[in-house]
Amino acid sequence: MTVATFVLGATLEPGGLLMWLLVGLVAGFFASRVMGGGYGLIGDIVVGVLGAFLGGWVSGMLGIGGTYGLIGSIVIAFIGACILLALLHAVSSGTRRRRA
């Protein structure tokens, strides 16, 4: 059992990693458009992949478990990415300096 399987409940294979990146890109792109302000191509991928983890965790906490398929994975990652972007915007808005 690998660490990824134990912690995440998922196995990363070369094809699986490519799909994670694809799901992360799509979810991060749409989330950045809905929530306002993207982070560029790489940033959107990172936000989407982290959002997939967050969305998977939230769906597990709500009792929505199982296999989602490609579209379901994008939806779960999108929801998680929106939550992540809302948190990032809340944290970063307090650290901005206003010009006089």
Side-chain angles (χ1 to χ4, degrees), residues 22-98:
L22 177 68
V23 167
L25 174 64
V26 172
F29 173 78
F30 285 126
S32 68
R33 296 304 173 252
V34 169
M35 299 298 291
Y39 293 98
L41 178 66
I42 301 299
D44 284 350
I45 291 173
V46 170
V47 166
V49 170
L50 292 176
F53 288 122
L54 182 61
W57 180 74
V58 168
S59 69
M61 295 298 283
L62 295 175
I64 308 169
T67 305
Y68 306 112
L70 179 62
I71 301 299
S73 295
I74 291 173
V75 170
I76 293 292
F78 169 74
I79 292 169
C82 286
I83 293 169
L84 181 62
L85 284 175
L87 292 172
L88 288 174
H89 288 178
V91 169
S92 67
S93 67
T95 60
R96 290 184 193 158
R97 293 186 183 199
R98 293 183 181 210

